[in-house]
Amino acid sequence: MLRALLNKFWDEDVWLPPNTTWEDITPGPDKAVVYADYRHLLYPIPLALVLIALRQVLEKYWFAPFGRSLGIKNTRPKKAPNNSKLELAYIDCPKIKHKQLFLSKDEVISLTLRYNALYL
C-alpha cells in the first residue's frame, strides 16, 4: 500500500517534463550531468516528526519542571479590559482609515496621474 502511494506521489507526469523519466535523472557515476537524488526528500519528514516528539518530551519532563523550580508560573497573558472611551476615540479618529480597505476609483485615478507626472 505504501509503495502504491509513493508511486502515485512520484508520478513522472506530475514532476518531470514530457519525454523525461526518473531513470534519465538517476544519479550515477556514468552520467554526464549529476542531479540530486529525489529519494533524499523522504528523510526530512520522519526527522521532523522525531524532532517534534523530542521537543514535546523535553518541554513536559525537563523544561516545565525546571521553570517551576525557578518560580515561573504557568499562566496565560491576561486580556485587556474593554474601554469604551478608547474604542470611541479610535472610531472617531480621522487619521486612522480602519473602515476603508480599498481605494475608490477617484483615488486610484489621482494616484495614477501623480505617479505618471513624477516618474514618466
Side-chain angles (χ1 to χ4, degrees):
M1 170 134 159
L2 181 61
R3 176 55 42 201
L5 181 65
L6 288 175
N7 287 340
K8 189 69 172 169
F9 181 77
W10 292 112
D11 190 18
E12 294 169 351
D13 295 334
V14 175
W15 295 101
L16 300 176
N19 299 324
T20 307
T21 63
W22 290 117
E23 287 77 26
D24 296 339
I25 62 170
T26 302
D30 58 338
K31 301 285 183 170
V33 178
V34 179
Y35 296 101
D37 192 355
Y38 66 91
R39 291 170 291 190
H40 291 167
L41 292 175
L42 296 176
Y43 296 126
I45 294 174
L47 183 62
L49 295 175
V50 168
L51 289 176
I52 290 171
L54 178 67
R55 176 183 174 199
Q56 294 295 324
V57 168
L58 285 176
E59 281 182 4
K60 186 174 183 178
Y61 295 110
W62 194 45
F63 296 139
F66 182 66
R68 281 192 297 273
S69 70
L70 293 176
I72 300 172
K73 296 178 182 176
N74 189 14
T75 59
R76 299 201 182 265
K78 296 178 183 176
K79 291 181 78 173
N82 288 337
N83 189 333
S84 59
K85 290 182 182 178
L86 288 178
E87 293 291 331
L88 287 174
Y90 177 75
I91 291 171
D92 294 337
C93 182
K95 293 182 181 180
I96 301 173
K97 295 185 177 183
H98 60 280
K99 293 182 180 177
Q100 183 178 1
L101 298 176
F102 302 104
L103 296 175
S104 67
K105 185 177 180 180
D106 296 331
E107 289 173 326
V108 170
I109 292 171
S110 67
L111 285 174
T112 305
L113 292 174
R114 269 194 276 166
Y115 177 81
N116 289 340
L118 288 174
Y119 298 108
L120 297 180

